[in-house]
Amino acid sequence: MPGRVSSKNTTSSRVSHKSFSQTSNSRRTTASTTVAIPDEGPSTSLRARICRIFSDAQRSTVGHRKLAVSLRKIQEDCCYDFTGGRRQDEEEFGEDDFNGEVARCVIRLMNVKKTEGAGDRIVRFLGIFLRRANDKDAALMLETEAEETQFFPETPSTRLTSHILSILLPLLGSKEKVVRYRATQVIAHIINSLDSVDDDSYQLIRMGLLKRLRDKEAMIRVQAVLGLGRLAGNEGEGNQDDADSDNDVASGLLDKLLEVLQNDPSADVRRSLLLNLPLAPQTLKPLLERARDVDAATRRALYSRLLPALGDFRHLSLSMREKLLRWGLRDRDENVRKATGKLFRERWIEDCVGSTEVAEDGTTQQAAPPSLDGLLELLERIDVVNSAAGTGIATEAMNEFWSGRPDYRDAISFEDPFWDQLTPESIFVARSFNDFCKEGENGTFGALGEDKMPEVTKLAFFVQRYTNDLVNCIRNNRTLSEGDREEDTVEKEFVVEQLLHIAKALDYSDEIGRRKMFALLREILAIAELPDEITKLVVDVLRGICGREAAGEREFCGVVLEAVAEVHDNVTNDDELPAEHEDESFHSAHSELSDSTPTKAKSGGRTNGGDDDNSGIEEEKAIREIMINMKCLHIAQCMLENVEGDLQQNIHLVTMLNNLVVPAVRSHEAPIRERGLLCLGLCCLLDEALAEENLSLFLHCFTKGHDALQVSALYILSDILTVHPNLVTADNVDIAVKKSVYKVFAKGLRASEAAEVQSAATTSLCKLMLTSVVCDEDLLKQLVDLFFGPAVKKNAAVTQALSYFLPVFCRSKRENMEMMAAIAANVIHRQVNIEDEDEEDEMDEEEKKVIGVDVVGNMLVDWTDPRKLVVQEAGSVRWDEAGGKDVGTVNGDVHLTLADSLLERALSHGCSKVERKVLLTMVGKVYITSNSSAEKVQASLDLVAEAIYGKIATDTASKNALNKLHLALTKVLGEGHTVRPSIEEDQPADPTLADNETKAEEESDRSETKMAVDEDQAVTGAEDTVLEELLDDEDDDEYERPSPARLKSGPHVLPGTRSEVYIPGFPLPSSFLPPSECKGIRASVQQSIPAQSFLPLRSYGMAKTAFVTGATGLLGRQVLKAFDKAGWTAVGTGFSRAKPPSILKLDLEDQGAIEAALDETKPQVIIHCTTAFSSIHLPPFSLPLPLALAPYSPRWFNRDSRHFVYTTDIGAANRFPDKCVADPDGTRALNIAASRRLAEAARARSIFLIYLSTDYVFSGAPGEAPFEASSTPNPPNLYGQTKLAGERAVLEACENTGLAVILRVPLLYGHVETNAESAVNVLVDAVWKAQEKDAQVPMDDWSVRHPTNTEDVARVIVDVASRYLTADEARVAMPKILQFSAEQPFTKYQMCQILAEILGLPLNGMVGKGEDQEVKAVRPFDTHLSTKTLRDLGMDVRTMDFTDWWSVSYTASTYDC
């Protein structure tokens, strides 16, 4: 047991205030700080022991605690006097020696990259050791120096900590991002491992980490906030530092962290702060606002980690609870919705139950038994009365609750005592349970609901009882003040509403119950005091009880109108004056009779008083009359919303129209008149003649009405025209009426000052144009100008509607696409003028932000691409399972019309240079096909020739576009049809357009050699889709393309008018239109849609897309290029070397990230090139300096990563199977688990998957090659075993779907970034290594390889993708395993001989070896793959010659030797 602190070699590392200022100044001048390798000196036993511990710690985290104990014993030996005896031959070391050796190991971490897991393990071990050492020292201080009372006693561990921090703090300003990252990481980990730190170190750490908050590298900022989050707990509110300190230190730490939380662009930084900031009143609101963060993982972390750990949710305000539920349950990310549902049904309910054991992280350790009282309290805490009404969140929350709590489903009981004293919370429990059983889980729990809920007769008694209570309460409360009566009435209204919701979902097959409920509702409907919402629910329930057939509809109308008459009669009778007022009534009547006689008595006091009383009574009667009519009209409106039959065939409806609706429309009272217009509009939907008669009335209402009336008029007109399109589309239609209708919508689109009117006009017109009711180029142009214009940014509803409408409108019908092509040139002209006006006018920066004219042009070309039509000519297009599209025979006349329109505008004299450049650029992207009309092709060719002769193209890009189009058109018509005029020929030119021609002509001449035309299919095409343009152009943030994920199958209801509109292939989503002000206007348009018109959504709006994993690797890069060259949209992903946006960063171990990437890119095929070559472990710390941690070798410091292989055994360089042996868990995770996740995600989205495997799945024993695809696999090593398991996982996930195929390939070579990427390319380094003096580089001369070029493999992958995607249903029967390989056999030594000959180098320094028995992974002798399966499919399996490729590559200086 150590005793007192040793007196030998002890130094204090505590920093004084003086040294603090010196350090601060010095850090300002260390911007170029690099890691200085400490003077090693002679090796000692202490160094060997410490290095051995650190070397073991980097391998695994399993033994960290034992290693920390061992290192602590060494520290005690060095820092304390040993109580026992010490061997005489044992070397003696002091505290400084120990601290120096530990600091030496820490310094060696500084240049270890973030991707190396061993570095993170060392950091974790260091934190564990420091925590243990500080705890032990603190215990010793209590034992030996209990009489001393130091706030922060100095111990060997505190001095070690201060020593490490003094070394690391200057490195925070290093130029090397890896050094800054590791220094910040170690400091942050130390802070989070210790309970306390001395004041001086605290200030230095605080200042240093605050500087790193502004680091350009997100990974460094993450580590900085991890450390500062711990420090922030010590900051008092309003804490301010010394006036002479830096600005970073002068302001509160929490304020700075909160600013980072709100504004940092990195989601990782925001998420780290979210989980590490202290929970305090100052931080709670900003933390909870992360529920609206743009990053889904951050939002998920809030609901799954922060909120459960927050404690009792009842400490949150009522509004915040409601917001958190609404934001989470309606989040666009499914994982966030799941986390919110789990929070509500597990954590919040347990807070209310109150008997649950909760862990420190907020998770429930043991759930309490179901408690109805707890559930009722939970609903009370979320204010169910308000949150369950309308679009409230309580209904969705309870649906999640019932779905995830089967114990509550089974335990809940609705016996008679439950219904005796209903509260808003208890009745909502019953209503939500009933709705869940009827609708949730596809009706699985329907029987459970029938067993637990009361029968119809019993429920009718409950409805009657609580309705009577409500009516009595309303009548009694007339004598009370508003504040006293409101809450009680609201709660009773809520109870009755929920009972009616339950009644609406019941089965009325029981005739006794049906009659009881029918009679009760008929009686309730006649109660004048009934609130409007309850009236509407009563009418809805009555409609269901009466049945949907014509007889039931007539009965329904008769019953409702009887109730209307009864309401009117009852209220009229109530208006009769009581007996005590008879005298006043007589005098009033007498006064009226004597009005014509001017007498003095008439002006007397008594007469004046009588007039005042009379006027008050008259006013009260007038108000009462308005209320009567409004109530009657409301009941009629609710009835009309539930009627679908012919108006003229229903005598009840005709009577209502004549006696109620028409008088209301003619009323002088505005509320009655407007409600009457709504009812009249509903009646017009039931009778076309009535609609035609009153069309001018609604037009007049829009012209002369206020904003709210204009909105109602627009929606009424839209519904009428949708149901009765003949009013504007018939041949004999009145042109004046048609123009008036169009004029109303045009005026509404221009109503920028009235946002609701503009939104109503836009959504209504979009619906009418989608249904082909309105077909007008001027209105379409106005919509397009509105979408691209700056004014629409202030109206989100308009932007949302148009972003969906415009592409869908164009691609739904060829006529629509031709209409858009005709106006495209005018749209471009308008956008150019807008940009010019914005530059001249003094406008706000926000108002000046418009979509760039180039982007507008690309979008117009994309919208008019004939290949994207949903309904093509018969037989012209075939769709496969994955959404692929054969466009070989599509008629390209639409793009010819577009090209003509653009060229005519470009040839006009009023076209500016900027506009002409955009027009010609668009021309170069049109799609021309041999299936186009010959007359149109010739007309377009004449225009192109005129443009070329006129030399209107003044820049290289425009000239290339014209040349490209001219070549394509000429090829379609035939080479002998016309002579191609060349831009380079000496032709007459417009002097105002020609400038800088010489250079441009040379550029054009070179570009002509690259142009080619496909004779069988399209000869040119618009390769750049809108998605590609937006991904490539980071400046065009204003345009938010419509997400194809919003296009859901099946018919959808337009909320604006509640009309069901079916468009072939393009069903409108429910979020398309905003809620209608014209409540209840309903139309039903059911068009017969052929089954083939509902096409796979994956093909909507996009070219064929390939999704390539591992796109930063040797093969992945070539695959990406091959798909891009083949005309696909190629999306590449990577991880450690990803460079967004060109290569997306994707962690294949993150299922959510995989699904999000696939949903965003919508590919038709996935090429899984990623494979596990394992992570690299740090070399043992016990090695001497020249590579104790390899990157710190002095030799390495001046060399790039390619030369790093020189320090290892070149003959065994990049043995990928060996690396897999070193990290079997990582290998399995990537080759098996990640592949399975990717395959499951692909199957769920009908995406075709190509999984790249290896020839190492075969044993490769002598005499067995070549191996067929059907040969039995027998992998000889872990690498082959995991790849084979990956094959089986992929085929299992996509079984019986034809959505996956395996492609096995051998050893690969090709163009590399570093030679180490390929086991073949790295042989070049081996050849050069063999040139060193006395070099004896061993090289395998036993196993046979068939090196295959990555360009050949990539070509075959593209062919496989194309062949399988076009196979349709036949793909299921096609081969699931394919193999591709070159046929030339070589050993590695033979390859080196070829390379040496090409390089002109001798090979005396290399020695060929036989079978190597010392390698970690068993190598096969020959795994030559047969390509028979590919050849049977008719694919080209030819490959490049190995020697020829290397000769060309060396000549082209591919290798910088």
Side-chain angles (χ1 to χ4, degrees):
M1 177 68 186
R4 60 183 179 84
V5 179
S6 175
S7 60
K8 58 184 185 300
N9 296 331
T10 59
T11 59
S12 175
S13 299
R14 298 189 64 182
V15 184
S16 64
H17 289 288
K18 180 178 179 181
S19 63
F20 163 68
S21 60
Q22 292 172 348
T23 304
S24 300
N25 293 333
S26 65
R27 289 180 69 248
R28 295 189 183 99
T29 61
T30 56
S32 60
T33 302
T34 56
V35 179
I37 301 300
D39 184 14
E40 296 295 320
S43 179
T44 63
S45 60
L46 177 65
R47 177 180 300 173
R49 294 169 65 190
I50 293 177
C51 286
R52 190 178 304 112
I53 290 175
F54 274 84
S55 179
D56 293 340
Q58 72 176 345
R59 293 192 178 94
S60 173
T61 61
V62 175
H64 275 186
R65 297 193 179 278
K66 292 183 178 179
L67 294 173
V69 173
S70 301
L71 189 59
R72 171 62 184 174
K73 290 180 180 179
I74 297 175
Q75 184 188 30
E76 291 176 352
D77 290 343
C78 295
C79 301
Y80 292 92
D81 285 338
F82 200 71
T83 56
R86 184 191 300 273
R87 295 204 318 264
Q88 294 182 356
D89 59 343
E90 186 175 350
E91 196 172 357
E92 185 175 356
F93 299 98
E95 181 180 335
D96 287 349
D97 298 324
F98 177 83
N99 292 350
E101 290 300 329
V102 173
R104 171 183 173 274
C105 293
V106 173
I107 291 174
R108 293 182 176 278
L109 284 172
M110 292 303 101
N111 275 7
V112 179
K113 294 183 178 180
K114 179 179 181 291
T115 55
E116 305 298 340
D120 295 334
R121 290 190 284 272
I122 291 300
V123 173
R124 184 177 182 275
F125 168 71
L126 181 64
I128 293 175
F129 165 71
L130 289 178
R131 179 185 299 171
R132 179 179 180 81
N134 276 277
D135 291 344
K136 290 291 185 181
D137 284 342
L140 288 174
M141 291 297 295
L142 292 175
E143 294 177 6
T144 60
E145 301 179 11
E147 68 281 359
E148 298 184 10
T149 56
Q150 280 185 282
F151 177 72
F152 188 80
E154 187 175 288
T155 64
S157 297
T158 61
R159 289 192 290 271
L160 173 61
T161 303
S162 299
H163 180 59
I164 293 175
L165 291 175
S166 65
I167 294 175
L168 295 179
L169 285 170
L171 299 181
L172 292 176
S174 172
K175 279 187 175 181
E176 300 293 332
K177 65 179 181 181
V178 176
V179 176
R180 295 198 311 276
Y181 168 73
R182 286 299 181 187
T184 310
Q185 182 190 27
V186 174
I187 291 173
H189 202 78
I190 290 175
I191 295 172
N192 284 281
S193 299
L194 302 180
D195 294 328
S196 58
V197 67
D198 64 87
D199 292 338
D200 293 338
S201 297
Y202 175 87
Q203 296 296 339
L204 287 169
I205 293 171
R206 184 179 187 276
M207 184 178 67
L209 293 182
L210 280 172
K211 296 286 187 183
R212 291 306 98 216
L213 282 181
R214 299 172 181 171
D215 199 285
K216 64 180 180 180
E217 297 294 335
M219 63 179 182
I220 298 174
R221 300 199 303 275
V222 168
Q223 297 302 322
V225 301
L226 289 177
L228 289 172
R230 177 69 186 277
L231 297 182
N234 298 325
E235 290 281 334
E237 292 186 4
N239 179 38
Q240 299 294 328
D241 295 294
D242 297 336
D244 58 346
S245 62
D246 284 355
N247 292 333
D248 284 336
V249 183
S251 59
L253 179 57
L254 273 178
D255 293 337
K256 288 188 173 294
L257 291 178
L258 291 177
E259 180 184 358
V260 172
L261 178 67
Q262 294 174 346
N263 301 317
D264 195 284
S266 171
D268 293 335
V269 176
R270 300 194 304 274
R271 186 160 57 254
S272 299
L273 261 180
L274 175 73
L275 300 176
N276 288 278
L277 268 180
L279 295 174
Q282 183 181 357
T283 61
L284 184 58
K285 183 178 179 181
L287 288 174
L288 296 181
E289 286 176 350
R290 289 302 94 200
R292 305 300 290 165
D293 196 282
V294 296
D295 177 59
T298 302
R299 301 194 301 273
R300 184 168 66 250
L302 173 74
Y303 286 99
S304 61
R305 298 180 61 181
L306 178 65
L307 287 176
L310 185 60
D312 197 327
F313 81 99
R314 291 173 288 188
H315 296 154
L316 299 174
S317 67
L318 183 61
S319 62
M320 183 55 71
R321 296 173 211 159
E322 193 274 336
K323 286 180 181 178
L324 288 173
L325 280 179
R326 185 174 71 251
W327 292 340
L329 292 176
R330 295 177 181 175
D331 196 278
R332 59 182 174 272
D333 186 85
E334 182 181 0
N335 292 324
V336 179
R337 298 195 297 272
K338 289 181 178 178
T340 309
K342 184 178 181 181
L343 173 74
F344 179 78
R345 66 176 177 260
E346 294 183 7
R347 187 69 177 89
W348 286 13
I349 182 63
E350 302 304 337
D351 285 342
C352 296
V353 173
S355 60
T356 305
E357 298 181 8
V358 181
E360 293 182 357
D361 60 353
T363 59
T364 56
Q365 295 180 339
Q366 181 178 0
S371 169
L372 178 60
D373 293 337
L375 181 56
L376 296 180
E377 182 182 353
L378 175 61
L379 292 175
E380 181 182 359
R381 296 295 182 179
I382 63 173
D383 189 17
V384 68
V385 174
N386 293 315
S387 61
T391 59
I393 198 62
T395 304
E396 299 171 42
M398 285 304 295
N399 186 64
E400 288 289 336
F401 180 87
W402 295 120
S403 177
R405 293 303 298 262
D407 53 340
Y408 273 83
R409 289 201 305 263
D410 297 336
I412 196 71
S413 175
F414 300 108
E415 300 298 333
D416 290 347
F418 176 87
W419 303 94
D420 290 339
Q421 295 294 329
L422 288 178
T423 63
E425 292 76 25
S426 61
I427 186 58
F428 188 71
V429 169
R431 181 261 174 106
S432 61
F433 180 81
N434 185 67
D435 289 348
F436 172 77
C437 293
K438 296 293 183 181
E439 303 172 4
E441 306 286 341
N442 298 321
T444 307
F445 301 100
L448 179 64
E450 292 179 1
D451 292 341
K452 290 183 177 288
M453 296 303 294
E455 60 273 13
V456 176
T457 305
K458 185 178 292 186
L459 183 67
F461 283 107
F462 296 146
V463 173
Q464 183 178 16
R465 171 185 169 184
Y466 286 99
T467 302
N468 291 336
D469 289 346
L470 172 62
V471 174
N472 293 333
C473 182
I474 292 174
R475 290 171 179 172
N476 293 334
N477 282 343
R478 289 178 180 175
T479 60
L480 301 177
S481 62
E482 183 177 353
D484 294 335
R485 71 190 183 210
E486 180 179 358
E487 182 176 355
D488 190 22
T489 303
V490 169
E491 290 186 356
K492 291 182 180 298
E493 285 180 20
F494 183 81
V495 171
V496 175
E497 288 174 8
Q498 303 310 306
L499 286 170
L500 291 172
H501 278 293
I502 297 175
K504 190 176 178 180
L506 292 181
D507 180 11
Y508 290 96
S509 57
D510 176 19
E511 184 62 23
I512 297 177
R514 175 188 175 278
R515 290 181 180 181
K516 171 62 179 176
M517 185 66 76
F518 180 84
L520 173 64
L521 295 179
R522 164 65 183 80
E523 182 181 351
I524 292 175
L525 191 59
I527 301 175
E529 294 87 354
L530 209 63
D532 286 350
E533 184 61 30
I534 294 180
T535 300
K536 184 179 186 306
L537 286 171
V538 170
V539 173
D540 292 343
V541 178
L542 270 176
R543 185 68 182 95
I545 294 176
C546 293
R548 294 293 173 180
E549 64 279 358
E553 186 174 278
R554 286 192 295 271
E555 180 187 14
F556 166 70
C557 294
V559 170
V560 173
L561 290 180
E562 287 176 7
V564 170
E566 190 172 340
V567 168
H568 187 275
D569 294 342
N570 290 340
V571 178
T572 303
N573 294 334
D574 291 341
D575 286 340
E576 295 180 1
L577 293 172
E580 59 265 29
H581 290 291
E582 288 181 358
D583 189 47
E584 288 82 351
S585 181
F586 171 79
H587 286 292
S588 298
H590 180 75
S591 300
E592 290 177 2
L593 291 174
S594 59
D595 271 353
S596 59
T597 307
T599 62
K600 292 182 181 181
K602 183 177 180 180
S603 60
R606 174 60 182 250
T607 306
N608 289 339
D611 289 341
D612 291 339
D613 293 342
N614 186 51
S615 62
I617 294 174
E618 292 298 329
E619 182 178 355
E620 183 179 352
K621 290 179 63 177
I623 295 174
R624 189 69 171 166
E625 183 179 355
I626 293 175
M627 294 176 62
I628 295 170
N629 291 327
M630 291 293 290
K631 182 66 178 179
C632 295
L633 287 169
H634 175 71
I635 299 175
Q637 179 182 340
C638 296
M639 179 192 68
L640 289 169
E641 290 174 0
N642 289 277
V643 173
E644 298 177 356
D646 190 350
L647 178 71
Q648 300 299 332
Q649 301 298 322
N650 194 325
I651 188 61
H652 301 293
L653 295 179
V654 175
T655 302
M656 179 208 63
L657 175 65
N658 296 329
N659 297 336
L660 181 63
V661 176
V662 173
V665 173
R666 295 174 179 175
S667 174
H668 295 289
E669 301 295 339
I672 297 177
R673 185 169 60 248
E674 293 176 12
R675 181 68 63 85
L677 284 171
L678 294 180
C679 294
L680 180 61
L682 289 166
C683 292
C684 290
L685 299 180
L686 304 175
D687 186 75
E688 185 173 356
L690 182 65
E692 184 177 8
E693 179 182 346
N694 290 281
L695 194 62
S696 58
L697 172 63
F698 298 120
L699 295 175
H700 178 77
C701 289
F702 176 85
T703 305
K704 301 298 182 180
H706 51 80
D707 289 353
L709 185 57
Q710 286 183 333
V711 171
S712 298
L714 285 169
Y715 283 129
I716 292 172
L717 286 170
S718 174
D719 283 347
I720 289 176
L721 295 179
T722 301
V723 178
H724 308 300
N726 289 335
L727 296 179
V728 290
T729 59
D731 296 335
N732 59 347
V733 68
D734 188 351
I735 301 299
V737 174
K738 185 175 182 179
K739 288 184 177 180
S740 298
V741 172
Y742 289 2
K743 184 178 179 181
V744 163
F745 285 108
K747 184 179 179 181
L749 295 178
R750 294 192 298 268
S752 57
E753 299 300 324
E756 293 183 356
V757 176
Q758 188 180 48
S759 173
T762 302
T763 52
S764 300
L765 184 58
C766 289
K767 183 179 69 173
L768 292 173
M769 297 192 78
L770 280 173
T771 53
S772 300
V773 175
V774 173
C775 300
D776 185 74
E777 286 189 5
D778 292 336
L779 288 176
L780 178 61
K781 182 178 180 298
Q782 195 169 346
L783 286 173
V784 176
D785 290 340
L786 183 63
F787 178 63
F788 291 126
V792 75
K793 290 188 174 298
K794 299 179 182 179
N795 196 331
V798 173
T799 303
Q800 181 185 12
L802 291 178
S803 62
Y804 172 80
F805 162 75
L806 290 171
V808 171
F809 171 77
C810 293
R811 294 162 187 165
S812 59
K813 292 176 63 177
R814 180 175 291 274
E815 292 79 6
N816 297 346
M817 193 171 279
E818 290 174 348
M819 191 187 307
M820 181 65 74
I823 68 170
N826 291 331
V827 171
I828 294 297
H829 176 68
R830 171 64 177 159
Q831 292 305 306
V832 172
N833 290 341
I834 289 177
E835 289 189 354
D836 294 341
E837 292 171 3
D838 290 347
E839 293 177 0
E840 296 174 0
D841 297 343
E842 295 183 1
M843 301 173 62
D844 295 338
E845 291 298 324
E846 193 65 28
E847 293 179 356
K848 287 186 178 182
K849 289 182 179 179
V850 296
I851 300 177
V853 66
D854 293 329
V855 177
V856 173
N858 292 329
M859 293 172 70
L860 290 171
V861 172
D862 184 69
W863 290 344
T864 55
D865 190 342
R867 292 169 293 184
K868 295 180 179 180
L869 277 170
V870 175
V871 182
Q872 298 277 6
E873 291 78 4
S876 63
V877 174
R878 292 186 306 126
W879 299 76
D880 58 26
E881 241 179 77
K885 191 176 184 180
D886 179 13
V887 296
T889 58
V890 170
N891 189 316
D893 288 352
V894 175
H895 261 184
L896 288 177
T897 302
L898 175 66
D900 293 349
S901 173
L902 300 176
L903 288 172
E904 288 174 358
R905 176 61 193 167
L907 289 167
S908 65
H909 292 289
C911 185
S912 65
K913 185 175 181 180
V914 175
E915 181 182 352
R916 184 177 288 111
K917 180 179 179 181
V918 177
L919 295 173
L920 295 181
T921 302
M922 294 172 62
V923 165
K925 297 180 179 181
V926 298
Y927 170 75
I928 309 299
T929 175
S930 57
N931 198 33
S932 301
S933 168
E935 294 78 8
K936 279 185 169 290
V937 173
Q938 182 60 57
S940 299
L941 186 61
D942 294 340
L943 283 173
V944 175
E946 182 181 351
I948 294 176
Y949 276 113
K951 290 192 176 181
I952 65 172
T954 58
D955 60 281
T956 303
S958 300
K959 292 179 181 180
N960 290 342
L962 283 176
N963 280 331
K964 182 179 180 181
L965 180 59
H966 191 280
L967 179 64
L969 294 171
T970 304
K971 190 69 175 179
V972 169
L973 289 177
E975 295 184 3
H977 188 82
T978 184
V979 179
R980 176 184 181 275
S982 174
I983 285 185
E984 293 74 31
E985 295 177 4
D986 187 14
Q987 299 164 347
D990 185 347
T992 63
L993 301 177
D995 59 292
N996 300 325
E997 289 296 319
T998 304
K999 183 177 179 180
E1001 289 171 2
E1002 295 173 356
E1003 294 286 337
S1004 178
D1005 183 68
R1006 287 194 296 270
S1007 67
E1008 288 176 12
T1009 62
K1010 300 179 181 179
M1011 299 181 183
V1013 179
D1014 190 338
E1015 296 181 3
D1016 298 326
Q1017 298 182 358
V1019 295
T1020 185
E1023 298 293 338
D1024 295 327
T1025 65
V1026 175
L1027 177 61
E1028 294 167 335
E1029 290 293 332
L1030 293 177
L1031 289 176
D1032 293 340
D1033 190 354
E1034 298 179 356
D1035 294 330
D1036 297 329
D1037 296 331
E1038 297 83 354
Y1039 173 65
E1040 181 182 356
R1041 66 182 179 85
S1043 171
R1046 292 178 53 208
L1047 304 178
K1048 301 176 181 178
S1049 60
H1052 293 266
V1053 176
L1054 297 179
T1057 58
R1058 307 178 72 180
S1059 300
E1060 296 180 359
V1061 180
Y1062 295 78
I1063 304 300
F1066 292 98
L1068 293 174
S1070 58
S1071 60
F1072 177 47
L1073 299 180
S1076 170
E1077 294 296 333
C1078 177
K1079 295 181 180 179
I1081 296 182
R1082 190 172 192 278
S1084 178
V1085 181
Q1086 299 183 352
Q1087 301 177 2
S1088 177
I1089 306 300
Q1092 61 270 23
S1093 64
F1094 291 94
L1095 304 175
L1097 294 176
R1098 188 160 308 287
S1099 60
Y1100 164 74
M1102 298 181 68
K1104 289 187 294 185
T1105 301
F1107 188 92
V1108 183
T1109 68
T1112 58
L1114 174 68
L1115 177 60
R1117 291 193 301 270
Q1118 288 299 330
V1119 172
L1120 208 61
K1121 293 178 182 177
F1123 274 101
D1124 187 71
K1125 185 177 180 181
W1128 291 58
T1129 299
V1131 178
T1133 71
F1135 187 68
S1136 60
R1137 291 186 288 175
K1139 296 179 180 179
S1142 57
I1143 300 295
L1144 305 179
K1145 186 170 183 177
L1146 178 63
D1147 184 2
L1148 293 178
E1149 295 184 5
D1150 186 346
Q1151 183 71 25
I1154 293 173
E1155 295 175 354
L1158 295 178
D1159 291 339
E1160 177 65 25
T1161 55
K1162 296 293 185 297
Q1164 282 74 50
V1165 63
I1166 300 173
I1167 300 88
H1168 185 31
C1169 297
T1170 304
T1171 188
F1173 297 146
S1174 184
S1175 58
I1176 302 175
H1177 285 270
L1178 297 179
F1181 279 82
S1182 58
L1183 292 177
L1185 175 62
L1187 290 180
L1189 274 174
Y1192 297 94
S1193 167
R1195 180 180 185 182
W1196 175 85
F1197 264 103
N1198 296 321
R1199 292 182 178 270
D1200 60 19
S1201 58
R1202 183 165 65 88
H1203 295 107
F1204 173 68
V1205 296
Y1206 293 170
T1207 61
T1208 62
D1209 179 9
I1210 295 298
N1214 284 275
R1215 294 182 177 220
F1216 297 147
D1218 287 348
K1219 292 182 181 181
C1220 293
V1221 172
D1223 186 13
D1225 293 338
T1227 301
R1228 293 187 180 94
L1230 192 58
N1231 286 350
I1232 305 175
S1235 301
R1236 180 183 290 108
R1237 281 192 291 269
L1238 193 62
E1240 290 171 351
R1243 173 171 181 166
R1245 292 159 178 78
S1246 298
I1247 306 174
F1248 183 66
L1249 172 65
I1250 301 177
Y1251 175 81
L1252 271 296
S1253 188
T1254 176
D1255 57 345
Y1256 272 32
V1257 299
F1258 297 115
S1259 62
E1264 291 183 354
F1267 292 91
E1268 299 291 343
S1270 57
S1271 299
T1272 302
N1274 184 19
N1277 51 42
L1278 177 63
Y1279 174 63
Q1281 292 167 7
T1282 57
K1283 293 299 288 183
L1284 178 61
E1287 290 184 10
R1288 292 169 177 169
V1290 168
L1291 293 177
E1292 232 171 68
C1294 300
E1295 188 177 7
N1296 299 326
T1297 64
L1299 289 176
V1301 70
I1302 309 300
L1303 179 61
R1304 295 170 180 160
V1305 295
L1307 189 69
L1308 301 179
Y1309 69 97
H1311 296 291
V1312 295
E1313 294 178 351
T1314 63
N1315 285 345
E1317 285 186 317
S1318 166
V1320 177
N1321 294 59
V1322 79
L1323 298 179
V1324 176
D1325 293 336
V1327 172
W1328 281 101
K1329 181 67 176 177
Q1331 309 309 309
E1332 297 181 0
K1333 185 178 180 180
D1334 299 328
Q1336 291 295 310
V1337 178
M1339 188 56 60
D1340 177 24
D1341 196 22
W1342 173 75
S1343 57
V1344 178
R1345 299 286 181 265
H1346 295 78
T1348 305
N1349 195 279
T1350 54
E1351 295 179 48
D1352 291 327
V1353 178
R1355 185 199 74 240
V1356 169
I1357 290 173
V1358 174
D1359 292 343
V1360 170
S1362 301
R1363 180 64 57 84
Y1364 276 70
L1365 286 179
T1366 56
D1368 295 326
E1369 293 80 11
R1371 185 171 62 241
V1372 178
M1374 293 177 70
K1376 302 298 185 297
I1377 299 178
L1378 307 174
Q1379 297 181 160
F1380 178 69
S1381 172
E1383 300 297 326
Q1384 294 175 291
F1386 303 99
T1387 65
K1388 286 190 175 181
Y1389 183 76
Q1390 292 171 338
M1391 297 182 211
C1392 290
Q1393 289 178 319
I1394 295 173
L1395 296 174
E1397 181 179 357
I1398 294 173
L1399 294 171
L1401 299 174
L1403 206 59
N1404 300 328
M1406 183 175 290
V1407 179
K1409 293 178 58 178
E1411 182 178 3
D1412 189 355
Q1413 302 295 338
E1414 298 179 358
V1415 295
K1416 298 179 183 178
V1418 179
R1419 292 295 201 283
F1421 170 74
D1422 183 7
T1423 55
H1424 184 206
L1425 299 173
S1426 169
T1427 59
K1428 180 178 182 300
T1429 310
L1430 284 174
R1431 284 186 273 111
D1432 291 343
L1433 292 174
M1435 295 189 185
D1436 184 7
V1437 295
R1438 293 175 295 178
T1439 58
M1440 300 180 184
D1441 182 86
F1442 182 85
T1443 305
D1444 292 345
W1445 188 88
W1446 281 101
S1447 300
V1448 173
S1449 298
Y1450 176 72
T1451 304
S1453 301
T1454 300
Y1455 291 90
D1456 182 13
C1457 301

